[in-house]
Amino acid sequence: MMTLAVAAAACSAKAPEPAAPPAAQAQPAADRPYLLERVDDAAVVQVYADGFATLPIREKVLIWHLYQAALAGRDIYYDQRYAHSLEMREVLEEILTHAAGVEPAVLAEIQRYTKLFWLNSGPHNNLTARKFVLKCAPEAFLRAAQAAAGAGARFPLKPGETVEGLVERTRPWFFDPNVDPIVTNKSPGPGKDILASSANNLYVGVTMKDLAGFAERYPLNSRLVKQGGRLTEEVYRVHGRYGDKIATIMGHLGAAVPYATEPMAKALQALVTFYRTGETADREAYDIAWVQDQASPVDTINGFIETYLDPRGMKGAWEALVFYVNREKTEGIRKLAADAQWFEDRMPWDPKYRKPGVTGVVANAIDVVVETGESGPVTPIGINLPNDQRIREQHGSKSVLLSNINEAYDKSSPTAFREEFSWTKEEAERGNRWSAFAGELTTNMHEVIGHGSGRIEERLKGNPATAIKEHYSALEEARADLVGLYFLPDQKLVDLGIVPKESQQDIVLAEYEGYARNALVQLRRIREGAQIEQDHMRSRQLIVRWLMANTKAIEVRERDGKTFYVMIDAGAFRDGVGRLLAEVQRIKAQGDYQAARAMFEAFGISFDPKLRDEVVARVDKLNLPSYSGFVMPKLSPILGADKTITDVTISYPQDLTAQMLEYSGKRR
Ligand SMILES: [Zn+2]
């Protein structure tokens, strides 16, 4: 599972925003750029990996090989997402790299479109799943392609095809929003098929009806094709689909093995085996080896992992991440986990629901060096794997929090946002100073001591979700958030050395104020209707509106026709959080569906659409981005006289176009 900052998608939906980089590392320049450019509603942001330079050479070389393996599979995801993506990208990139004779206005439009295309790995938006198109005349696009051809562009022409023929053939892909309009369509409407309505390339000519009675042997790692009435699984493996790319990936993974720790080497070798055979048993062996490697300072995720692209939720989209553990940030998480029982013994709920022998979830705070495929340029902020439920139960899972992505989110987001929704200047300043730190800390508590806490009644047989049904997941997210909010003011955090004593009060204020504001600001994401669907958004709406109704902690105020949620009493806020947490735990422990439903219906689901319209107008006026895409660090090896790698340097391109063209093997 992965957690997105932009879509408030999974577990720690609110981007935990870290504070300044650790003092132990070389201090980066204070004025280095994070926000590089805006393209429509997207922000382009540089991510930095400050700790890389101080890693031992062995780990740098290891990362270098894994980095190459990550880049080698990039085009697999483009192809999985849309069958025409790679051809479209080739046309666009050839025009951009041979642009001298292209009309400036047309070139500007092609550049805008191509940047969005790169950010979204194809012509469909990541957040909305909908197709976006070129906004110039097709004739102007043809003239641009002809000018580029005159300047030496080499287009992906079919035998005997002219540039004119190519532009005509590809025209529906670039220009028609009704051709392949949605990449993943889980609710196409009555009578329509989810596979046929989705434009992705995971199925060809297949509908759900065809799958009745068909046993897939490779549910995760194959494309399913129907031809002449027969279903075929095209397996992703070395002599199968994407075989050439997979062979290159395997080569780089193999080269990494000698530099890896023993458990990591075992996992890499298992991954190579899985890429070779494509067999489920080998994938399971890999998952187990990967999850058993708990201590390596460097790690990678490389393969067909998450299933969000498939409307059936079965086929894995290819992605790769390479990262190292951020020791300083991980230390704080481990301190919380080590003292999980202390927190459990003080949970503000009925003592019979406190768990003896609780262990905190250990997550690593990591810095990514590169992310490709489904995880880049648009990236998650948290990941928990493997997804295979049986392996999770028997062998556990690994969680990572992407620290330097959070840093980049925080440093690139405009402060105007906070100022617009803060009642006073002091509140906005407190947020600017502390919300990053406070947000990261409460997210860690949410994950490490929140989800794992509490006991439920025996008769539920360990499965409260069955009783609480559609409200379970939002209830559980509310519970974990409440644990973080409840313990934030606790002296224990000072004693553990996680929070500086002299700043704790400001940190608590910044978090509580920001949490209250968020219930208002989050409404901008639901531009239609008057109902919240997403579970994390429901849980946060519930908490704030419950506090409004049951405590004096938050006031609704108005000024110049604008609404504000103003946190006025941190003590009352915390007391209220404790009371609500006790009730939420009781509901979970007893599987009280009626109470869960009543609570969400009263506070967590519906909202006033007029208030939303006001929020949307305020946000639009500030021109805030809806999502961010990241420019990754660039690695370069330094070779000795005998061609062995003597060092690996890291640099930051600060230029999306340059990086994307480099990845494609092109130059401007
Ligand atoms: Zn959660």
Side-chain angles (χ1 to χ4, degrees), residues 11-12 446-447 451 477 480 536:
C11 205
S12 19
H446 172 121
E447 303 287 356
H451 279 309
E477 292 309 323
H536 289 81

Side-chain angles (χ1 to χ4, degrees), residues 145-366:
Q146 285 167 331
R154 297 170 65 93
F155 287 112
L157 301 174
K158 302 273 181 209
E161 192 174 54
T162 60
V163 171
E164 199 173 0
L166 169 80
V167 170
E168 190 51 38
R169 178 168 60 83
T170 58
R171 184 169 160 160
W173 310 340
F174 283 115
F175 289 95
D176 191 341
N178 299 314
V179 170
D180 303 325
I182 300 178
V183 66
T184 302
N185 193 351
K186 280 185 265 190
S187 337
K192 293 193 177 140
D193 182 75
I194 55 171
L195 302 183
S197 309
S198 298
N200 65 57
N201 191 22
L202 303 172
Y203 302 89
V204 181
V206 182
T207 63
M208 290 300 284
K209 225 187 241 165
D210 297 318
L211 293 175
F214 179 77
E216 278 165 295
R217 185 166 166 194
Y218 306 94
L220 183 74
N221 58 323
S222 71
R223 183 172 82 153
L224 206 46
V225 179
K226 189 178 177 187
Q227 241 178 352
R230 261 191 71 233
L231 284 175
T232 313
E233 292 180 83
E234 296 178 349
V235 186
Y236 309 150
R237 59 184 165 196
V238 74
H239 294 298
R241 188 162 181 83
Y242 308 126
D244 55 339
K245 306 268 184 301
I246 286 173
T248 311
I249 295 169
M250 287 164 65
H252 291 302
L253 295 176
V257 167
Y259 302 94
T261 60
E262 204 183 308
M264 187 184 183
K266 205 177 148 202
L268 290 173
Q269 280 157 339
L271 177 56
V272 168
T273 302
F274 173 52
Y275 270 136
R276 185 181 306 118
T277 69
E279 295 297 335
T280 300
D282 290 320
R283 197 262 307 146
E284 289 167 350
Y286 163 64
D287 276 354
I288 293 167
W290 183 78
V291 85
Q292 283 176 343
D293 175 19
Q294 293 282 345
S296 293
V298 172
D299 204 351
T300 191
I301 294 164
N302 184 312
F304 303 93
I305 312 283
E306 308 283 359
T307 57
Y308 307 107
L309 181 62
D310 179 2
R312 278 174 74 214
M314 300 289 286
K315 307 273 171 223
W318 191 88
E319 68 173 1
L321 301 92
V322 183
F323 49 88
Y324 57 86
V325 174
N326 183 322
R327 285 203 180 78
E328 184 138 339
K329 287 185 184 297
T330 300
E331 200 191 326
I333 295 170
R334 287 182 193 273
K335 281 182 192 161
L336 283 174
D339 257 325
Q341 190 67 54
W342 187 95
F343 291 99
E344 184 73 22
D345 294 343
R346 286 158 187 80
M347 288 294 175
W349 55 60
D350 191 328
K352 70 180 175 199
Y353 297 137
R354 290 177 192 153
K355 202 190 260 178
V358 67
T359 50
V361 174
V362 174
N364 277 329
I366 56 142

Side-chain angles (χ1 to χ4, degrees), residues 41 81 120 122-132 183 627:
D41 63 338
R81 203 163 157 83
N120 293 285
H124 299 93
N125 183 286
N126 247 294
L127 273 185
T128 66
R130 288 179 187 276
K131 185 173 171 182
F132 52 89
V183 66
Y627 66 104

